[in-house]
Amino acid sequence: MKNKVKRWTSVALASSAAAALVVGCGQANAPAGQASANGSASTASPSSQMVNVDGVKIAKPVHLVNYKNASGTIVWAESFTTGPTASELVSAFEKKYPKIKVRLQVQPSNTDTNRADLTASISGGSSTPDVYMGDVIWPAQFAHNQLAAPLSDYLPTSFWSRFSNGLVAGATYNGKVYAAPLFADTAFLYYRKDLLAKYHLAVPKTWQQLQSEASYIVKHGGAKYGFVWQGADYEGLTCDFDEYLADAGGSVLTNGKASLNTAAARQALSFMRGLITSGVTPQSVDTFQEPQSENVFTQGNAVFLRNWSYAWSDSQNPSSSKVVGKVGVAPLPTFAGHGTSGYSTVGGWDLYLNPHTKNLAAALQFIDWMTSPQAQEILAANSEMPTIKAVADSPSLAKYSPVFALLPKVKFVSRPAQTPNYPAVSKAIYDNVNAALAGSVSVDQALKDANQQIQQALSGSGSGGL
């Protein structure tokens, strides 16, 4: 992302392809890093011990901790690289819980360096940081490598019901939840409201409608291009493809196996390729990342843009945008017959628990508060998208950004990161999808190759993506 923290990891994908706790007075009798916390990382729980939360089956807590009277000092490794957000949150927390002190540990701004730093520290047995921020695609990798403790072992099942639909699934690995969603990011459809008004066209609800309207406006000289998005050979293309795939009713993985040899996958990729061959999308989109696609739009050269939440403020910046006051924003479309709005890929950052922490109770109290309405309101005021329904679905959220007002309508889809070999899975997706977009291979061949490579990645032992 352009400020604060990155919502997804790209360079990392290339570099990566290479005793019971006692419920009582708020203190734990053993650190979270002992057998129960680490040993469960790669072992699924029996079905009789599972509960359904937001459509996701997770294990019941096995070491429920009473942290209401917790005290002591914890270290929080934070990844807000600009602004006072972290300090503001800590001040509010310590005011409410004066018995707990939080010491900030500022992490490197580069996501890959940040991850390497945390990996080295925690794998070496360090008990700090007690709590750390991490990318939403890390849970399986960090759980597999015993770098994160299963929060669902210690928190009540009811804790997970606070989050917006789709977020808990992305933090779950082998039936246990390894991260608490802190703030999200997701994609929206940005459109030229002045052009839609000029040509008497409605905001599109389906991809077919978008393609038709974009083609009409381009043919009538309203804009150079109809629709721009991210088609380069990198992680961002996985995000875009996953949205079309979910809209078509498909998924990358089904029951832990590659599932791109389906009609849904063909519909998704055929549509993406068709945007290019029809002239609605420029041929050079197969080299576009977020900055390139956004620049085409903010310079007034496209009718529609798919991009993350920050693109709204960028489009309204008079020093760099030629479309100030001419932009609208809506949920992404879907394919006809698949509802009224499409799926949007989940980005953002989560809170993770160090399995070696020496103050489990205080760490859990901090995680609980950070995902409370008070903390989430602070995040929203600092332009971060809240993850809990109580705040995300509130009409008052629109005062911070018009994109926030759309959150109740957004359907989240997580990337297929529930495998520790996700980096290789994602690379198989974006390499082959990009080849199809460029016309180097057919849609069917690209999907066949991607499916085979994904299955190979799933079968590989590897190092869990680290």
Side-chain angles (χ1 to χ4, degrees), residues 166-254:
L167 297 184
V168 175
T172 302
Y173 174 62
N174 279 350
K176 297 197 175 189
V177 190
Y178 284 85
L182 177 60
F183 61 84
D185 197 11
T186 198
F188 295 92
L189 178 69
Y190 297 91
Y191 60 91
R192 287 285 300 280
K193 60 184 182 181
D194 59 322
L195 292 177
L196 294 188
K198 177 180 178 180
Y199 294 100
H200 308 289
L201 298 171
V203 178
K205 296 292 184 66
T206 69
W207 288 118
Q208 292 91 336
Q209 182 184 2
L210 180 148
Q211 185 173 22
S212 175
E213 292 184 359
S215 178
Y216 182 87
I217 293 174
V218 170
K219 287 179 179 178
H220 286 78
K224 185 176 181 179
Y225 303 119
F227 180 35
V228 289
W229 35 281
Q230 298 77 48
D233 190 7
Y234 80 123
E235 174 72 3
L237 180 53
T238 295
C239 298
D240 285 45
F241 175 73
D242 278 359
E243 291 164 353
Y244 292 108
L245 181 62
D247 289 339
S251 61
V252 175
L253 305 178
T254 301

Side-chain angles (χ1 to χ4, degrees), residues 27-39:
Q27 295 294 334
N29 283 357
Q34 293 188 358
S36 59
N38 283 335

Side-chain angles (χ1 to χ4, degrees), residues 147-458:
L147 300 173
L151 288 171
S152 54
D153 274 3
Y154 313 120
L155 294 167
T157 302
S158 59
F159 171 83
W160 304 106
S161 63
R162 70 181 63 180
F163 296 102
S164 297
N165 296 341
L167 297 184
V168 175
T172 302
Y173 174 62
N174 279 350
K176 297 197 175 189
V177 190
Y178 284 85
L182 177 60
F183 61 84
D185 197 11
T186 198
F188 295 92
L189 178 69
Y190 297 91
Y191 60 91
R192 287 285 300 280
K193 60 184 182 181
D194 59 322
L195 292 177
L196 294 188
K198 177 180 178 180
Y199 294 100
H200 308 289
L201 298 171
V203 178
K205 296 292 184 66
T206 69
W207 288 118
Q208 292 91 336
Q209 182 184 2
L210 180 148
Q211 185 173 22
S212 175
E213 292 184 359
S215 178
Y216 182 87
I217 293 174
V218 170
K219 287 179 179 178
H220 286 78
K224 185 176 181 179
Y225 303 119
F227 180 35
V228 289
W229 35 281
Q230 298 77 48
D233 190 7
Y234 80 123
E235 174 72 3
L237 180 53
T238 295
C239 298
D240 285 45
F241 175 73
D242 278 359
E243 291 164 353
Y244 292 108
L245 181 62
D247 289 339
S251 61
V252 175
L253 305 178
T254 301
N255 296 324
K257 295 184 178 180
S259 55
L260 291 185
N261 54 348
T262 62
R266 284 190 291 276
Q267 180 182 8
L269 187 51
S270 294
F271 179 79
M272 296 173 75
R273 174 61 180 161
L275 289 170
I276 299 171
T277 57
S278 68
V280 165
T281 290
Q283 289 187 350
S284 55
V285 77
D286 63 359
T287 66
F288 281 13
Q289 296 188 15
E290 281 80 2
Q292 291 79 26
S293 55
E294 183 187 280
N295 184 64
V296 171
F297 183 78
T298 57
Q299 296 309 299
N301 293 320
V303 184
F304 298 106
L305 165 72
R306 179 267 181 210
N307 213 330
W308 304 91
S309 60
Y310 66 81
W312 167 258
S313 58
D314 287 353
S315 73
Q316 301 307 298
N317 183 350
S319 67
S320 58
S321 174
K322 295 181 180 179
V323 292
V324 175
K326 300 178 181 180
V327 177
V329 58
L332 290 174
T334 188
F335 288 115
H338 289 265
T340 58
S341 64
Y343 283 92
S344 294
T345 299
V346 177
W349 283 60
D350 295 343
L351 290 175
Y352 295 76
L353 175 67
N354 185 341
H356 310 298
T357 180
K358 294 181 179 178
N359 198 340
L360 177 61
L364 292 175
Q365 180 65 84
F366 181 67
I367 291 172
D368 187 359
W369 182 84
M370 288 284 281
T371 55
S372 71
Q374 183 183 3
Q376 292 283 300
E377 282 279 0
I378 292 173
L379 286 166
N382 283 276
S383 301
E384 302 294 2
M385 192 177 294
T387 57
I388 65 170
K389 289 178 281 191
V391 177
D393 294 350
S394 172
S396 65
L397 201 64
K399 65 187 177 185
Y400 299 119
S401 171
V403 299
F404 287 173
L406 300 172
L407 288 180
K409 301 178 181 179
V410 171
K411 296 188 296 185
F412 291 116
V413 60
S414 296
R415 281 163 282 175
Q418 290 76 36
T419 166
N421 291 317
Y422 171 73
V425 169
S426 184
K427 190 174 189 302
I429 295 170
Y430 62 71
D431 279 354
N432 289 289
V433 170
N434 178 262
L437 296 180
S440 302
V441 298
S442 68
V443 167
D444 285 346
Q445 187 63 49
L447 292 173
K448 179 181 179 180
D449 292 345
N451 207 65
Q452 181 180 25
Q453 292 167 24
I454 290 170
Q455 197 57 47
Q456 289 173 345
L458 296 173

